Amino acid sequence: MNFGNRAPTIVVLKEGTDASQGRGQIISNINACIAVQETLKPTLGPLGSDILIVSSNKKTTISNDGATILKLLDVVHPAAKTLVDISRAQDAEVGDGTTSVTILAGELMKEAKPFLEEGISSHIIMKGYRKAVQLAIEKINELSVDITENKEDNRELLERCAKTAMTSKLIYNNADFFVKMCVDAVLSLDKDDLDEKLIGIKKIAGGAMEDSMFINGVAFEKTFSYAGFEQQPKKFENPKILSLNVELELKAEKDNAEVRVEHVEDYQAIVDAEWQIILTKLKEIEDTGASIVLSKLPIGDLATQYFADRNIFCAGRVATDDMNRVIQAVGGSIQSTTTDIKPEHLGTCELFEEIQIGSSRYNLFQGCPKAKTCTLLLRGGAEQVIAEVERSIHDAIMIVKRALQNKFVVAGGGAIEMEVSKYLRDYSKSIAGKQQLIINAFAKALEVIPRQLCENAGFDAVEMLNRLRMAHSKGERWYGIDFETESIGDNFSKFVWEPALVKINALSSATEATNLILSVDETIKNKESGSANAGMMPPPGAGRGRGMPMQ
């Protein structure tokens, strides 16, 4: 049989390679992302439910924080992993809105699906979405309110933002207590960089949530201690604090050393020399006038007893993080030698004490003059409860931080989404062609937030959305879901506020993720092998920047 000039079939991909491409592949990826969205939907809002996740090592986590859930779900689908990434990015950048961003991205993909099935090019949809998100962000910036105008009490404004962030969290019933704690924590930081890593969070099992404490300074658990420790004073007012990176232990020089002696006196001289070395160090520390000695390295029993006899408190093996925060709070600097320690190397605070909290003893440094750090001691009945309290506090702290840096806020409870949705619908009517449909689809996708809030609260979503659409068409720009009256209302006047940055970041991330999924029309899955794939040629189309390899 004559094939003419047709080239014979060339096998480029390794046997067992799975290559899928075309419109069906995009729809398949969208379906995977929608499955992730469906998992997170019930957790949205004040009346959202929590999810119990049991990991492979049988560790249980109860949470409704989107980023935490997605991280623990261990998503393997390469397209769905995009949602995990944007949720983590939202958590790192803004701290809150991790569930919203995932639900928005899933809804944007769901709205794009019918267009793809009808044969519209994914690039046209992407172009429409890009235009829509640009208009939406401009509208949010236009609507956002500068909360510092003509208002002196900045703290009250920050507390309102923090309380909104806590509405969907486990600690909502204790919100008034924790809101004050979060705002105190952020305001204690350096105003220039607001580094939230300097807010230490210690979890102590036992007690009620409201037994949690805010320490304007540093607190850390009592370190390993030797005999003589109990004789040391446990409370000081205005002490001098010396921070060291020096080991204060009596060590016989037997490691990797061989000493030959002929007389007992020679051996005694060696022992005396070892004692003399450490006693000299201890005398130099005593001469500095320090009342509290902290060291990253061990402080042995000889040194502990020496300090106890002279009414000096000591703690060895202090964790690096805790030591760094102590320096930030009390001043001074870490010394790596005991010689030539000057007064400016020492720090101070108003009050130091060691107290019992739960089953542990904690060292507290309070009233620190240079306090650019603080510590939150969280209490709770179960380990999972305290872990969720910590995640909730983190979200609220990040929101307060962003509100302090970016003074613009918008109303929550689905209000801003409905207003932007109305604006995009009106805009879409002013243009012709396919873009009209796509921008309208983007506007419809935004309604997923108020709709899901209603469904999770047990309200009639269809009725509520109709009432919201009517209110917004009459110019009620801040109308959203009101959970107290189980109706709709002006959320701005009820102080349901969120930083505009949260909404802008969520919309941008969700649209970017959607466009990324829409741009991938080919997936190549290689069977795991060593270097067999090293010289494999890429299949047709992979060089067009549209392939997404599966790991």
Side-chain angles (χ1 to χ4, degrees), residues 420-439:
V420 173
S421 176
K422 170 192 169 286
Y423 169 69
L424 290 178
R425 281 183 204 276
D426 292 345
Y427 175 84
S428 69
K429 291 170 188 170
S430 68
I431 58 173
K434 294 172 185 170
Q435 295 299 317
Q436 179 185 20
L437 298 171
I438 292 160
I439 291 175

Side-chain angles (χ1 to χ4, degrees), residues 137-384:
I137 290 171
E138 286 172 6
K139 186 66 176 173
I140 292 173
N141 283 326
E142 180 193 321
L143 289 168
S144 59
V145 179
D146 186 346
I147 51 174
T148 55
E149 282 182 5
N150 308 320
K151 294 200 178 173
E152 295 293 320
D153 191 1
N154 201 24
R155 183 190 175 87
E156 190 185 349
L157 308 171
L158 296 175
E159 286 186 356
R160 285 167 185 166
C161 287
K163 191 163 185 178
T164 304
M166 287 181 187
T167 52
S168 62
K169 306 298 182 189
L170 180 73
I171 58 178
Y172 182 56
N173 291 333
N174 312 83
D176 292 337
F177 175 80
F178 283 108
V179 158
K180 183 178 181 301
M181 189 182 280
C182 290
V183 175
D184 284 340
V186 177
L187 292 178
S188 70
L189 299 177
D190 189 330
K191 298 288 182 291
D192 296 327
D193 60 359
L194 291 175
D195 183 3
E196 72 277 359
K197 294 187 182 68
L198 290 174
I199 300 174
I201 295 181
K202 305 292 182 186
K203 295 178 281 190
I204 310 167
M209 281 188 205
E210 294 208 2
D211 291 337
S212 301
M213 294 167 65
F214 170 80
I215 307 296
N216 188 24
V218 182
F220 56 82
E221 194 170 355
K222 171 177 170 287
T223 56
F224 181 84
S225 56
Y226 288 89
F229 177 82
E230 292 306 324
Q231 297 165 33
Q232 294 179 354
K234 302 294 189 295
K235 186 171 182 178
F236 292 94
E237 289 183 5
N238 300 311
K240 290 183 179 176
I241 302 164
L242 175 61
S243 304
L244 296 172
N245 191 17
V246 177
E247 191 169 7
L248 297 175
E249 275 198 296
L250 182 64
K251 284 197 165 184
E253 295 297 338
K254 58 176 182 270
D255 298 335
N256 303 320
E258 183 177 320
V259 180
R260 298 192 180 189
V261 292
E262 293 180 3
H263 304 287
V264 174
E265 296 82 22
D266 296 341
Y267 177 72
Q268 188 60 43
I270 293 167
V271 173
D272 290 346
E274 289 170 350
W275 275 76
Q276 196 54 49
I277 289 168
I278 189 166
L279 288 171
T280 303
K281 287 181 180 178
L282 296 175
K283 184 73 174 73
E284 287 171 343
I285 291 170
E286 183 191 351
D287 291 344
T288 63
S291 310
I292 297 171
V293 179
L294 306 176
S295 179
K296 288 184 178 182
L297 297 174
I299 295 179
D301 45 7
L302 170 68
T304 304
Q305 189 63 55
Y306 182 96
F307 290 137
D309 294 343
R310 288 155 182 80
N311 285 333
I312 297 172
F313 176 90
C314 70
R317 302 184 190 177
V318 179
T320 303
D321 285 353
D322 292 330
M323 184 67 96
N324 291 342
R325 290 194 305 108
V326 167
I327 295 290
Q328 289 271 354
V330 304
S333 57
I334 295 181
Q335 302 296 302
S336 52
T337 174
T338 57
T339 56
D340 196 29
I341 296 176
K342 296 185 170 64
E344 61 265 26
H345 297 152
L346 276 63
T348 187
C349 65
E350 285 178 14
L351 178 67
F352 166 83
E353 59 182 333
E354 182 181 295
I355 62 171
Q356 187 81 23
I357 303 177
S359 59
S360 309
R361 291 188 73 76
Y362 270 75
N363 296 328
L364 273 55
F365 298 80
Q366 298 186 76
C368 304
K370 299 195 175 184
K372 298 286 190 292
T373 179
C374 64
T375 309
L376 306 180
L377 303 176
L378 302 182
R379 307 295 308 278
E383 189 183 324
Q384 289 92 339

